[in-house]
Amino acid sequence: MTNANAHLHSDLFKPVQLGAVQLQNRIVMAPLTRSRAKAGDVPTELAAEYYAQRAGAGLIIAEATQISPQGKGYAWTPGIYNESHVAGWKKITDAVHAKGGRIFLQLWHVGRISHPDLQPGNALPVAPSAIKPDGNAFTESGFKPFVEPRALEASELPAIVEQYKIAAQLSLQAGFDGVEIHAANGYLLDQFLRDKTNQRTDNYGGSIENRARLLLEVVEAVTSVIPSERVGIRLSPISPANDIADSNPKALFSYVVEQLNRYKLVYLHVVEGATGGPREVDGGFDLQVLRDLFKGIYIANNGYDLEMAVKARDRNLADLVAFGRPWIANPDLVERFKAGAALAEFNQATLYGGGAEGYTDYPPMQQS
Ligand SMILES: Cc1cc2nc3c(=O)[nH]c(=O)nc-3n(C[C@H](O)[C@H](O)[C@H](O)COP(=O)(O)O)c2cc1C
């Protein structure tokens, strides 16, 4: 083997079992919001083409998908709460399966990361506490400053837990191989976990146990209706994404992961560092602690390239490695990695919204 092919020894490129399903390799496509759903939050046929082009991933984790109209926080994101969503997603899962791929759906409630323009009846977005995030919402008429959200009543939480449960059932009806509970990146479940955004004084705020309660109720509900070997979870324990922080992330997330072990989830997917930014963060901690605590598959993400991924496997720092941005302009990313080929760069202007341009028109390697 020549030095240029040294990576080919890696079991990154070999099949592996993930609960109920076999993956062709250990390379995952991380969830990527592309804001191209049509009216009624229905995913399009174009999305079927887009995901099928990327079916060479061991596992695709499809983009964050709202579990209810209230859970929406960006223009043109898809939903998973009614029959038209199931029908739309079915075309996508069929297209991916036809090419030998596997696909999970990421279940999403944005909490305060929304805007009245995106909410039913132009209502205020909801959150654990009425604390306005810094930054802007992406609405159909452009970026608009976030507003102060409405603090949820404890009596409203069971209905949200129920929505996750229904969304999980609908996901399997739509042909997904499983679901990923989105508890990362400063959205609703993460807002409950971390103390910058959760200042409640009831059973859902204060102590770590209380702040983890909603997440664990969601996990319990989802695993009560679909097999736990089809349920994964995403955390971003030290990411400041969406203006979030915690005073003791190591204690908080160690507790969360220990509790998650009760539910035998198939994987823990960790955004290591600031999402899409530095892997080392002030006030952070060594995330291998979480991998060591978790009794299941560990998916690492954030800023990986091929060399880092090979190293992570050689040193057994991760079971699977998820890539986000590299998949956008490289639909055949696994083939390019195998060939040691250069990667194409994506066009920033076509990331969110629009049609085929910058979505399904990135060519595979031979043509580029
Ligand atoms: C365009 C874009 C959309 C994203 N959408 C999501 C999403 O829907 N859900 C999520 O958990 N993370 C999302 N992320 C974060 C990625 O999944 C990933 O964590 C991040 O890009 C870091 O991985 P990378 O360095 O391999 O790109 C998004 C990132 C980008 C660039």
Side-chain angles (χ1 to χ4, degrees), residues 9 38 43 67 88 90 112 116 120 161 177 189 209 251 288 299:
H9 77 278
K38 50 191 181 194
I67 58 163
K90 186 76 175 58
R112 66 181 191 154
V161 172
D177 296 293
L189 297 174
E209 290 78 1
Q288 277 293 309
I299 309 182

Side-chain angles (χ1 to χ4, degrees), residues 17 51 61 108 178 219 306 346:
Q17 200 66 27
Y51 282 114
I61 304 165
W108 198 25
V219 170
L306 174 60
F346 63 81

Side-chain angles (χ1 to χ4, degrees), residues 76-98:
W76 308 299
T77 55
I80 184 75
Y81 52 86
N82 67 33
E83 288 307 315
S84 51
H85 302 147
V86 172
W89 280 116
K90 186 76 175 58
K91 295 183 188 147
I92 293 164
T93 60
D94 283 347
V96 169
H97 288 149

Side-chain angles (χ1 to χ4, degrees), residues 114-187:
S114 187
H115 187 278
D117 284 10
L118 295 160
Q119 290 290 308
N122 297 118
L124 287 175
V126 297
S129 303
I131 303 168
K132 186 178 92 63
D134 261 351
N136 295 292
F138 176 57
T139 76
E140 291 189 16
S141 44
F143 287 98
K144 295 191 179 174
F146 287 127
V147 298
E148 184 180 298
R150 175 177 71 78
L152 283 159
E153 302 290 339
S155 60
E156 294 176 274
L157 300 178
I160 292 178
V161 172
E162 185 68 17
Q163 288 160 0
Y164 277 96
K165 191 169 158 178
I166 293 168
Q169 289 172 309
L170 294 178
S171 301
L172 292 204
Q173 277 175 34
F176 284 100
D177 296 293
V179 299
E180 175 175 284
I181 296 170
H182 193 350
N185 294 342
Y187 297 112

